[in-house]
Short mmCIF file of all heavy atoms in Angstrom, two decimals:
data_model
loop_
_atom_site.label_atom_id
_atom_site.label_comp_id
_atom_site.label_asym_id
_atom_site.label_seq_id
_atom_site.Cartn_x
_atom_site.Cartn_y
_atom_site.Cartn_z
N HIS A 319 -6.45 -5.17 5.20
CA HIS A 319 -5.83 -4.64 3.99
C HIS A 319 -4.35 -4.33 4.19
O HIS A 319 -3.50 -4.68 3.34
CB HIS A 319 -6.58 -3.37 3.56
CG HIS A 319 -6.02 -2.69 2.37
ND1 HIS A 319 -6.17 -3.18 1.08
CD2 HIS A 319 -5.29 -1.54 2.24
CE1 HIS A 319 -5.58 -2.38 0.22
NE2 HIS A 319 -5.03 -1.37 0.91
N MET A 320 -4.00 -3.67 5.29
CA MET A 320 -2.61 -3.29 5.50
C MET A 320 -1.74 -4.48 5.87
O MET A 320 -0.54 -4.47 5.58
CB MET A 320 -2.52 -2.19 6.57
CG MET A 320 -3.21 -0.89 6.19
SD MET A 320 -2.72 -0.27 4.55
CE MET A 320 -0.99 0.12 4.82
N GLU A 321 -2.30 -5.49 6.50
CA GLU A 321 -1.53 -6.71 6.72
C GLU A 321 -1.20 -7.36 5.38
O GLU A 321 -0.13 -7.93 5.20
CB GLU A 321 -2.28 -7.70 7.61
CG GLU A 321 -1.46 -8.96 7.90
CD GLU A 321 -2.09 -9.89 8.92
OE1 GLU A 321 -3.15 -10.47 8.61
OE2 GLU A 321 -1.54 -10.03 10.03
N GLY A 322 -2.14 -7.27 4.44
CA GLY A 322 -1.87 -7.77 3.10
C GLY A 322 -0.68 -7.06 2.49
O GLY A 322 0.24 -7.70 1.95
N HIS A 323 -0.66 -5.72 2.58
CA HIS A 323 0.48 -4.97 2.06
C HIS A 323 1.77 -5.36 2.78
O HIS A 323 2.82 -5.56 2.14
CB HIS A 323 0.25 -3.47 2.24
CG HIS A 323 -0.54 -2.83 1.14
ND1 HIS A 323 -0.16 -2.90 -0.19
CD2 HIS A 323 -1.70 -2.11 1.17
CE1 HIS A 323 -1.04 -2.25 -0.93
NE2 HIS A 323 -1.99 -1.76 -0.14
N LEU A 324 1.69 -5.47 4.08
CA LEU A 324 2.88 -5.78 4.88
C LEU A 324 3.49 -7.12 4.48
O LEU A 324 4.72 -7.27 4.45
CB LEU A 324 2.50 -5.78 6.37
CG LEU A 324 3.61 -5.94 7.40
CD1 LEU A 324 3.20 -5.25 8.69
CD2 LEU A 324 3.89 -7.41 7.70
N LEU A 325 2.64 -8.10 4.14
CA LEU A 325 3.12 -9.43 3.80
C LEU A 325 3.37 -9.61 2.30
O LEU A 325 3.87 -10.66 1.88
CB LEU A 325 2.12 -10.49 4.28
CG LEU A 325 1.90 -10.57 5.80
CD1 LEU A 325 0.83 -11.61 6.12
CD2 LEU A 325 3.21 -10.91 6.51
N ALA A 326 3.06 -8.61 1.49
CA ALA A 326 3.23 -8.73 0.04
C ALA A 326 4.67 -9.08 -0.37
O ALA A 326 4.87 -9.84 -1.32
CB ALA A 326 2.78 -7.45 -0.66
N PRO A 327 5.71 -8.57 0.33
CA PRO A 327 7.07 -8.97 -0.04
C PRO A 327 7.33 -10.48 0.12
O PRO A 327 8.30 -10.99 -0.45
CB PRO A 327 7.96 -8.16 0.91
CG PRO A 327 7.13 -6.95 1.24
CD PRO A 327 5.73 -7.48 1.33
N MET A 328 6.49 -11.16 0.88
CA MET A 328 6.66 -12.61 1.04
C MET A 328 6.32 -13.37 -0.24
O MET A 328 6.60 -14.57 -0.35
CB MET A 328 5.76 -13.11 2.18
CG MET A 328 6.02 -12.46 3.52
SD MET A 328 7.70 -12.75 4.12
CE MET A 328 7.60 -12.00 5.75
N LEU A 329 5.72 -12.69 -1.21
CA LEU A 329 5.44 -13.32 -2.50
C LEU A 329 6.70 -13.42 -3.37
O LEU A 329 6.69 -14.12 -4.39
CB LEU A 329 4.37 -12.51 -3.26
CG LEU A 329 2.96 -12.50 -2.64
CD1 LEU A 329 2.13 -11.40 -3.28
CD2 LEU A 329 2.29 -13.86 -2.83
N GLU A 330 7.76 -12.73 -2.98
CA GLU A 330 9.00 -12.72 -3.75
C GLU A 330 9.93 -13.85 -3.31
O GLU A 330 9.77 -14.43 -2.23
CB GLU A 330 9.71 -11.37 -3.59
CG GLU A 330 8.84 -10.17 -3.89
CD GLU A 330 8.24 -10.21 -5.27
OE1 GLU A 330 8.96 -10.52 -6.23
OE2 GLU A 330 7.01 -9.95 -5.39
N GLU A 331 10.92 -14.15 -4.13
CA GLU A 331 11.88 -15.20 -3.80
C GLU A 331 12.74 -14.81 -2.61
O GLU A 331 13.06 -15.64 -1.76
CB GLU A 331 12.77 -15.51 -5.02
CG GLU A 331 12.04 -16.22 -6.15
CD GLU A 331 12.99 -16.64 -7.25
OE1 GLU A 331 14.23 -16.54 -7.05
OE2 GLU A 331 12.51 -17.07 -8.31
N SER A 332 13.14 -13.55 -2.56
CA SER A 332 13.93 -13.05 -1.44
C SER A 332 12.98 -12.49 -0.39
O SER A 332 12.37 -11.45 -0.58
CB SER A 332 14.89 -11.96 -1.91
OG SER A 332 15.62 -11.42 -0.83
N ARG A 333 12.85 -13.22 0.72
CA ARG A 333 11.88 -12.85 1.75
C ARG A 333 12.59 -12.47 3.05
O ARG A 333 13.59 -13.09 3.41
CB ARG A 333 10.93 -14.00 2.05
CG ARG A 333 10.22 -14.57 0.84
CD ARG A 333 9.41 -15.78 1.25
NE ARG A 333 8.67 -16.36 0.14
CZ ARG A 333 7.87 -17.40 0.26
NH1 ARG A 333 7.70 -17.98 1.43
NH2 ARG A 333 7.22 -17.87 -0.80
N PRO A 334 12.05 -11.50 3.77
CA PRO A 334 12.64 -11.17 5.07
C PRO A 334 12.22 -12.18 6.13
O PRO A 334 11.15 -12.78 6.03
CB PRO A 334 12.05 -9.80 5.38
CG PRO A 334 10.71 -9.82 4.70
CD PRO A 334 10.90 -10.62 3.44
N SER A 335 13.06 -12.37 7.11
CA SER A 335 12.68 -13.17 8.26
C SER A 335 12.31 -12.23 9.40
O SER A 335 12.71 -11.07 9.42
CB SER A 335 13.83 -14.10 8.67
OG SER A 335 15.01 -13.35 8.93
N PHE A 336 11.51 -12.73 10.32
CA PHE A 336 11.12 -11.92 11.48
C PHE A 336 12.30 -11.87 12.47
O PHE A 336 13.08 -12.80 12.55
CB PHE A 336 9.90 -12.54 12.16
CG PHE A 336 8.69 -12.63 11.28
CD1 PHE A 336 8.15 -13.87 10.95
CD2 PHE A 336 8.08 -11.51 10.77
CE1 PHE A 336 7.03 -13.97 10.15
CE2 PHE A 336 6.96 -11.60 9.96
CZ PHE A 336 6.43 -12.84 9.65
N PRO A 337 12.42 -10.78 13.24
CA PRO A 337 11.60 -9.56 13.23
C PRO A 337 12.15 -8.55 12.21
O PRO A 337 13.29 -8.63 11.78
CB PRO A 337 11.76 -9.04 14.65
CG PRO A 337 13.15 -9.45 15.03
CD PRO A 337 13.37 -10.79 14.37
N PHE A 338 11.30 -7.56 11.86
CA PHE A 338 11.73 -6.48 10.98
C PHE A 338 10.86 -5.26 11.25
O PHE A 338 9.84 -5.33 11.94
CB PHE A 338 11.67 -6.89 9.50
CG PHE A 338 10.33 -7.40 9.03
CD1 PHE A 338 9.28 -6.52 8.76
CD2 PHE A 338 10.13 -8.76 8.83
CE1 PHE A 338 8.05 -7.00 8.30
CE2 PHE A 338 8.91 -9.24 8.37
CZ PHE A 338 7.86 -8.37 8.11
N VAL A 339 11.29 -4.12 10.69
CA VAL A 339 10.48 -2.91 10.70
C VAL A 339 9.81 -2.78 9.34
O VAL A 339 10.44 -3.03 8.31
CB VAL A 339 11.33 -1.65 10.99
CG1 VAL A 339 10.52 -0.37 10.74
CG2 VAL A 339 11.84 -1.67 12.43
N ALA A 340 8.54 -2.44 9.32
CA ALA A 340 7.80 -2.26 8.08
C ALA A 340 7.42 -0.80 7.90
O ALA A 340 6.91 -0.17 8.84
CB ALA A 340 6.55 -3.13 8.06
N LEU A 341 7.68 -0.28 6.72
CA LEU A 341 7.18 1.04 6.32
C LEU A 341 6.01 0.79 5.38
O LEU A 341 6.18 0.28 4.27
CB LEU A 341 8.27 1.85 5.59
CG LEU A 341 7.78 3.14 4.92
CD1 LEU A 341 7.30 4.15 5.96
CD2 LEU A 341 8.88 3.75 4.05
N LEU A 342 4.82 1.14 5.84
CA LEU A 342 3.61 0.99 5.04
C LEU A 342 3.24 2.38 4.53
O LEU A 342 2.86 3.26 5.33
CB LEU A 342 2.48 0.40 5.87
CG LEU A 342 2.80 -0.96 6.52
CD1 LEU A 342 1.65 -1.44 7.38
CD2 LEU A 342 3.13 -1.99 5.45
N VAL A 343 3.38 2.58 3.24
CA VAL A 343 3.26 3.93 2.70
C VAL A 343 2.41 3.89 1.44
O VAL A 343 2.77 3.31 0.44
CB VAL A 343 4.67 4.53 2.45
CG1 VAL A 343 5.51 3.66 1.55
CG2 VAL A 343 4.61 5.95 1.94
N SER A 344 1.22 4.50 1.55
CA SER A 344 0.25 4.45 0.46
C SER A 344 -0.58 5.73 0.45
O SER A 344 -0.27 6.69 1.15
CB SER A 344 -0.67 3.23 0.64
OG SER A 344 -1.47 3.38 1.81
N GLY A 345 -1.65 5.71 -0.34
CA GLY A 345 -2.51 6.88 -0.41
C GLY A 345 -3.26 7.16 0.88
O GLY A 345 -3.56 8.31 1.19
N GLY A 346 -3.54 6.12 1.64
CA GLY A 346 -4.32 6.31 2.85
C GLY A 346 -3.55 6.12 4.15
O GLY A 346 -4.05 6.46 5.22
N HIS A 347 -2.34 5.57 4.07
CA HIS A 347 -1.60 5.24 5.29
C HIS A 347 -0.11 5.53 5.13
O HIS A 347 0.46 5.30 4.07
CB HIS A 347 -1.76 3.76 5.65
CG HIS A 347 -3.18 3.34 5.89
ND1 HIS A 347 -4.03 3.01 4.85
CD2 HIS A 347 -3.89 3.19 7.03
CE1 HIS A 347 -5.21 2.68 5.35
NE2 HIS A 347 -5.15 2.78 6.66
N THR A 348 0.49 6.04 6.19
CA THR A 348 1.94 6.09 6.32
C THR A 348 2.25 5.67 7.75
O THR A 348 1.94 6.40 8.70
CB THR A 348 2.50 7.49 6.04
OG1 THR A 348 2.12 7.91 4.72
CG2 THR A 348 4.02 7.49 6.13
N GLN A 349 2.83 4.48 7.88
CA GLN A 349 3.07 3.92 9.21
C GLN A 349 4.42 3.21 9.26
O GLN A 349 4.86 2.64 8.27
CB GLN A 349 1.98 2.89 9.57
CG GLN A 349 0.57 3.43 9.67
CD GLN A 349 -0.45 2.34 9.96
OE1 GLN A 349 -0.27 1.18 9.59
NE2 GLN A 349 -1.52 2.69 10.65
N LEU A 350 5.03 3.25 10.43
CA LEU A 350 6.18 2.42 10.74
C LEU A 350 5.75 1.43 11.80
O LEU A 350 5.20 1.82 12.84
CB LEU A 350 7.35 3.27 11.23
CG LEU A 350 8.16 3.99 10.14
CD1 LEU A 350 9.05 5.06 10.75
CD2 LEU A 350 9.00 2.98 9.36
N VAL A 351 5.99 0.15 11.55
CA VAL A 351 5.52 -0.91 12.43
C VAL A 351 6.64 -1.89 12.70
O VAL A 351 7.35 -2.30 11.78
CB VAL A 351 4.33 -1.67 11.77
CG1 VAL A 351 3.79 -2.74 12.70
CG2 VAL A 351 3.23 -0.69 11.37
N ARG A 352 6.81 -2.27 13.96
CA ARG A 352 7.71 -3.37 14.29
C ARG A 352 6.93 -4.67 14.13
O ARG A 352 5.81 -4.80 14.66
CB ARG A 352 8.24 -3.26 15.71
CG ARG A 352 9.19 -4.43 16.04
CD ARG A 352 9.63 -4.48 17.49
NE ARG A 352 10.34 -5.72 17.74
CZ ARG A 352 11.65 -5.83 17.95
NH1 ARG A 352 12.41 -4.75 17.93
NH2 ARG A 352 12.21 -7.01 18.17
N VAL A 353 7.50 -5.62 13.41
CA VAL A 353 6.82 -6.88 13.12
C VAL A 353 7.66 -8.03 13.67
O VAL A 353 8.78 -8.28 13.21
CB VAL A 353 6.63 -7.06 11.59
CG1 VAL A 353 5.91 -8.36 11.29
CG2 VAL A 353 5.87 -5.86 11.01
N ASP A 354 7.11 -8.72 14.67
CA ASP A 354 7.80 -9.88 15.26
C ASP A 354 7.22 -11.20 14.77
O ASP A 354 7.75 -12.26 15.08
CB ASP A 354 7.73 -9.81 16.78
CG ASP A 354 8.62 -8.70 17.34
OD1 ASP A 354 9.85 -8.83 17.21
OD2 ASP A 354 8.09 -7.71 17.87
N GLY A 355 6.15 -11.14 14.01
CA GLY A 355 5.49 -12.31 13.47
C GLY A 355 4.15 -11.87 12.92
O GLY A 355 3.74 -10.71 13.08
N ILE A 356 3.43 -12.77 12.28
CA ILE A 356 2.12 -12.41 11.75
C ILE A 356 1.17 -12.13 12.91
O ILE A 356 0.96 -12.97 13.78
CB ILE A 356 1.57 -13.54 10.87
CG1 ILE A 356 2.47 -13.76 9.66
CG2 ILE A 356 0.15 -13.19 10.40
CD1 ILE A 356 2.02 -14.86 8.73
N GLY A 357 0.62 -10.94 12.92
CA GLY A 357 -0.26 -10.52 14.00
C GLY A 357 0.47 -9.96 15.21
O GLY A 357 -0.17 -9.50 16.16
N GLN A 358 1.78 -9.93 15.17
CA GLN A 358 2.58 -9.39 16.27
C GLN A 358 3.15 -8.04 15.83
O GLN A 358 4.27 -7.96 15.35
CB GLN A 358 3.70 -10.37 16.65
CG GLN A 358 3.19 -11.73 17.10
CD GLN A 358 4.31 -12.70 17.39
OE1 GLN A 358 5.26 -12.37 18.09
NE2 GLN A 358 4.22 -13.91 16.85
N TYR A 359 2.32 -7.02 15.99
CA TYR A 359 2.64 -5.71 15.45
C TYR A 359 2.68 -4.66 16.55
O TYR A 359 1.80 -4.60 17.42
CB TYR A 359 1.59 -5.30 14.41
CG TYR A 359 1.37 -6.32 13.33
CD1 TYR A 359 0.08 -6.71 12.96
CD2 TYR A 359 2.44 -6.92 12.68
CE1 TYR A 359 -0.13 -7.66 11.97
CE2 TYR A 359 2.25 -7.87 11.69
CZ TYR A 359 0.95 -8.24 11.34
OH TYR A 359 0.76 -9.18 10.37
N LYS A 360 3.69 -3.80 16.46
CA LYS A 360 3.81 -2.68 17.37
C LYS A 360 3.93 -1.41 16.53
O LYS A 360 4.89 -1.26 15.77
CB LYS A 360 5.05 -2.84 18.27
CG LYS A 360 5.33 -1.64 19.17
CD LYS A 360 6.65 -1.80 19.90
CE LYS A 360 6.99 -0.56 20.72
NZ LYS A 360 8.35 -0.69 21.37
N LEU A 361 2.95 -0.53 16.65
CA LEU A 361 2.97 0.71 15.89
C LEU A 361 4.05 1.63 16.46
O LEU A 361 4.01 2.00 17.63
CB LEU A 361 1.60 1.39 15.95
CG LEU A 361 1.46 2.70 15.17
CD1 LEU A 361 1.66 2.47 13.67
CD2 LEU A 361 0.09 3.33 15.42
N LEU A 362 5.00 2.02 15.61
CA LEU A 362 6.09 2.89 16.03
C LEU A 362 5.82 4.35 15.71
O LEU A 362 6.24 5.24 16.44
CB LEU A 362 7.39 2.45 15.36
CG LEU A 362 7.83 1.00 15.57
CD1 LEU A 362 9.08 0.70 14.75
CD2 LEU A 362 8.08 0.72 17.05
N GLY A 363 5.14 4.59 14.60
CA GLY A 363 4.84 5.95 14.19
C GLY A 363 3.90 5.95 13.01
O GLY A 363 3.80 4.97 12.27
N GLU A 364 3.19 7.06 12.84
CA GLU A 364 2.24 7.17 11.73
C GLU A 364 2.03 8.62 11.38
O GLU A 364 2.45 9.53 12.11
CB GLU A 364 0.91 6.52 12.09
CG GLU A 364 0.20 7.17 13.26
CD GLU A 364 -1.07 6.43 13.64
OE1 GLU A 364 -1.61 5.71 12.78
OE2 GLU A 364 -1.52 6.58 14.79
N SER A 365 1.39 8.86 10.25
CA SER A 365 1.13 10.22 9.82
C SER A 365 0.05 10.85 10.69
O SER A 365 -0.98 10.23 10.97
CB SER A 365 0.69 10.25 8.35
OG SER A 365 0.46 11.57 7.94
N LEU A 366 0.29 12.07 11.10
CA LEU A 366 -0.67 12.79 11.93
C LEU A 366 -1.71 13.52 11.10
O LEU A 366 -2.68 14.04 11.64
CB LEU A 366 0.06 13.79 12.83
CG LEU A 366 1.15 13.20 13.74
CD1 LEU A 366 1.83 14.30 14.54
CD2 LEU A 366 0.58 12.13 14.66
N ASP A 367 -1.50 13.56 9.78
CA ASP A 367 -2.46 14.22 8.88
C ASP A 367 -2.47 13.49 7.55
O ASP A 367 -2.85 12.33 7.50
CB ASP A 367 -2.12 15.72 8.72
CG ASP A 367 -0.62 15.98 8.67
OD1 ASP A 367 0.03 15.45 7.74
OD2 ASP A 367 -0.10 16.70 9.54
N ASP A 368 -2.03 14.13 6.47
CA ASP A 368 -2.03 13.47 5.16
C ASP A 368 -1.03 12.33 5.12
O ASP A 368 0.09 12.45 5.62
CB ASP A 368 -1.65 14.47 4.06
CG ASP A 368 -2.71 15.53 3.85
OD1 ASP A 368 -3.82 15.37 4.39
OD2 ASP A 368 -2.43 16.52 3.15
N ALA A 369 -1.43 11.22 4.51
CA ALA A 369 -0.48 10.16 4.21
C ALA A 369 0.41 10.61 3.06
O ALA A 369 0.07 11.54 2.32
CB ALA A 369 -1.22 8.88 3.83
N ALA A 370 1.54 9.94 2.88
CA ALA A 370 2.49 10.35 1.84
C ALA A 370 1.85 10.28 0.45
O ALA A 370 2.02 11.19 -0.37
CB ALA A 370 3.74 9.48 1.91
#
Side-chain angles (χ1 to χ4, degrees):
H319 178 75
M320 296 310 294
E321 182 172 68
H323 275 303
L324 186 152
L325 297 177
M328 301 299 185
L329 293 165
E330 307 304 315
E331 290 186 9
S332 177
R333 306 175 179 182
S335 56
F336 300 117
F338 55 77
V339 169
L341 170 65
L342 303 177
V343 55
S344 65
H347 300 82
T348 302
Q349 297 178 331
L350 281 166
V351 183
R352 180 187 171 108
V353 181
D354 289 293
I356 297 180
Q358 300 177 49
Y359 307 132
K360 175 187 175 184
L361 181 63
L362 303 176
E364 62 184 338
S365 181
L366 303 178
D367 38 61
D368 292 348

